[in-house]
Amino acid sequence: MKNYLNLRDLIVILISVAFITVFFIATNIFAQTPGVDVTFNPLLTKDVTENYTGNFALQPDGKILIYGAFQNSGTYLKRLNPDGTTDTSFNCALCNTITVFNAIVQPDGKILVAGLSSGAAIYRLNPDGSQDLTFNGTLPVAGSPFSNDVEAVAVQPDGKIIVRHTFSTGGFTEWDILRLNADGSIDGSFTKIALGGRLINTDYSRVALLPDGKIMTAGATISATSEPFLRRYNSNGTTDTTFETPAFNDGRRINYFDFYPDGSIIISGFFSGVNSVPRRDLVKLLPVGNVDLNFNGSAIFNTFNKHAGKVSVLPDGKVLVNTIDYNSLNPTNTNNRLYRLNPDGSIDTTFNVPADLTTAHNWTVDSSNRILVFGVFSGILKYLRLNADGSLDSSFNSPTLTKPGTVKALAVLTDGKILVSGDFNRVGGVIKNNIARLNADGTLDNSFDSGSGFNVAPVSIAIQTDGKILAAGSFTTYNGVSRSGAARLNSDGSLDNSFNVTAAQVNTIVA
């Protein structure tokens, strides 16, 4: 006798088979992990023109460590060869995971990096950029970990490290100076120096290790007004009671100081005199603390109606100084011209920096008396090098500082090429202002010539059937030609002069 499936059993079997089939298909679909085509990398970037912080440290072999807040994600650290090209042998993987505040080079070639991750810390790198895991410079966390700031100030001859630590807690900011042992642990024999904070609002500007091992600090205490301070401490952190603090007339702030081989100190800032001696914004104090009457650098600030920013003493006794503006009590970094003064404070007319160097934010001098400068050159922030007479060192390959660009619109052409617009001015290092065409692999299509491009990035683009390109946004020019709100380009990137619409702003355009 034959057995037959009844209708109910057959339905159950069919449903089960269908479920298994769907499950198998779904499992295979979702098991395929979507990925990013890592070969597609058009490198859209924008030159840095804003007021970002940039700094550097010179190595004994002439190589240059540079760091600064040029990326949206934080700061980075890289190394240049003596000619300014990137040193590809240096790779600091750690620096991609922390915010880098500063770096200094130890006598043995290792590099101390002050940074912030889950808290403030001092890290040590090997000369190739890899992390030295034998060093642990973690600092105590105070308040929110991300309110902490740290600076590696100097390495003592015995290998111990002077560190400035800043943190905010309870609505107050506190500035402390600590000392680390050579392995990064906190040196308990050093008396912590409290620079200020809590009930005393302190604006710190500089901490430095003096040649005799003592420590000097400068800045301003701020309440209803601002008053500069200059303090000196013994090598163990206790107050140096032998140092007589100068009295600054009409003073608001000390910006910087440097010292001469004989122990004299030069001080820059915002004041009209020191110890009742008229000296505008720049003064030299002799080792005993009184004003050096043979040095008067006030003329430069009276002439240009500026104030003194950074100052540094050169081996021949001349002085580099930049002029800055002030906004209320805080210095601004606009038109910071760089000058050199003679040993008596008069302007050295033999020193002339390029006119295109409109702002010198920071600088240091190498062993050949060349001046490495971070500043605004031809409207762009750059690291550049000057010869001893101030002229531009053309042998130095000044790196262009960039940050990631942004894309506002794109369109795919029938041949697979990609038209992209956004806030960028370079594609793969080639200047392309706000619009470019990419090959299918993401490389720049050089056959598309946009000239100087749009002055403001289009927010909408569309491709017509004939290959012409429609662009819309708040721009007012394309390749130097007036076009307001909307424009049409030929397929090669040239402007279609037959299309001219006047509008203040167009947000969307379709072909």
Side-chain angles (χ1 to χ4, degrees), residues 498-510:
S498 67
F499 182 91
N500 191 356
V501 176
T502 301
Q505 180 172 332
V506 178
N507 294 325
T508 305
I509 198 164
V510 294

Side-chain angles (χ1 to χ4, degrees), residues 468-490:
K468 290 188 177 183
I469 303 155
L470 296 171
S474 60
F475 50 81
T476 58
T477 63
Y478 176 76
N479 199 12
V481 179
S482 177
R483 282 295 183 273
S484 182
R488 187 165 66 187
L489 312 181
N490 297 310

Side-chain angles (χ1 to χ4, degrees), residues 302-482:
N302 291 327
T303 301
F304 299 105
N305 195 25
K306 299 281 186 177
H307 298 282
K310 180 178 176 179
V311 63
S312 56
V313 178
L314 300 176
D316 60 0
K318 292 185 178 182
V319 174
L320 284 176
V321 64
N322 67 340
T323 56
I324 63 175
D325 296 316
Y326 263 75
N327 177 14
S328 183
L329 300 179
N330 297 316
T332 57
N333 290 319
T334 57
N335 196 28
N336 298 8
R337 299 289 294 175
L338 181 63
Y339 298 91
R340 189 169 67 192
L341 307 182
N342 293 310
D344 63 356
S346 60
I347 298 175
D348 182 359
T349 56
T350 66
F351 181 81
N352 295 289
V353 301
D356 289 338
L357 180 59
T358 55
T359 298
H361 291 308
N362 199 4
W363 67 85
T364 191
V365 181
D366 67 14
S367 58
S368 299
N369 292 323
R370 297 173 301 189
I371 306 163
L372 184 68
V373 178
F374 173 74
V376 179
F377 187 84
S378 298
I380 300 174
L381 273 177
K382 279 183 173 291
Y383 286 97
L384 62 152
R385 194 165 61 198
L386 306 179
N387 296 309
D389 63 357
S391 61
L392 187 66
D393 180 0
S394 58
S395 69
F396 185 78
N397 295 280
S398 300
T400 299
L401 303 179
T402 62
K403 61 182 180 179
T406 58
V407 175
K408 295 187 176 181
L410 57 82
V412 181
L413 283 69
T414 55
D415 60 0
K417 292 184 178 182
I418 304 163
L419 191 71
V420 59
S421 68
D423 190 15
F424 56 84
N425 71 337
R426 291 181 189 269
V427 180
V430 178
I431 293 180
K432 291 290 178 181
N433 282 317
N434 300 323
I435 190 166
R437 191 166 65 198
L438 309 177
N439 296 310
D441 61 359
T443 58
L444 178 65
D445 178 6
N446 288 302
S447 67
F448 183 82
D449 186 4
S450 58
S452 59
F454 289 99
N455 65 320
V456 178
V459 296
S460 178
I461 53 177
I463 311 297
Q464 296 183 169
T465 55
D466 60 0
K468 290 188 177 183
I469 303 155
L470 296 171
S474 60
F475 50 81
T476 58
T477 63
Y478 176 76
N479 199 12
V481 179
S482 177

Side-chain angles (χ1 to χ4, degrees), residues 72 147 189 194 247 250 256 267 284 332 343 391 404 408 420 435 453 463 473 504:
N72 294 339
S147 71
S189 68
D250 301 320
Y256 211 83
I267 305 166
K284 179 182 177 183
T332 57
S391 61
K408 295 187 176 181
V420 59
I435 190 166
I463 311 297

Side-chain angles (χ1 to χ4, degrees), residues 91-212:
N91 182 18
C92 179
L94 168 71
C95 301
N96 296 323
T97 64
I98 64 174
T99 298
V100 178
F101 292 127
N102 85 310
I104 57 176
V105 182
Q106 293 189 163
D108 62 359
K110 292 189 176 183
I111 302 159
L112 293 172
V113 175
L116 178 67
S117 180
S118 58
I122 303 294
Y123 305 89
R124 191 163 65 196
L125 309 179
N126 296 308
D128 64 356
S130 61
Q131 186 177 357
D132 179 359
L133 298 177
T134 66
F135 183 89
N136 183 6
T138 301
L139 301 180
V141 175
S144 166
F146 299 102
S147 71
N148 285 237
D149 190 349
V150 63
E151 176 189 9
V153 175
V155 180
Q156 296 183 170
D158 60 1
K160 293 186 176 183
I161 305 158
I162 303 297
V163 173
R164 190 264 307 156
H165 182 209
T166 307
F167 56 90
S168 297
T169 178
F172 297 98
T173 299
E174 185 169 325
W175 310 77
D176 293 334
I177 298 176
L178 310 172
R179 188 167 68 190
L180 307 183
N181 294 308
D183 63 357
S185 60
I186 294 177
D187 181 4
S189 68
F190 183 84
T191 300
K192 181 181 75 173
I193 301 172
L195 293 180
R198 299 291 178 176
L199 300 178
I200 302 175
N201 188 3
T202 303
D203 185 11
Y204 143 86
S205 62
R206 178 154 160 77
V207 174
L209 182 67
L210 302 179
D212 61 0

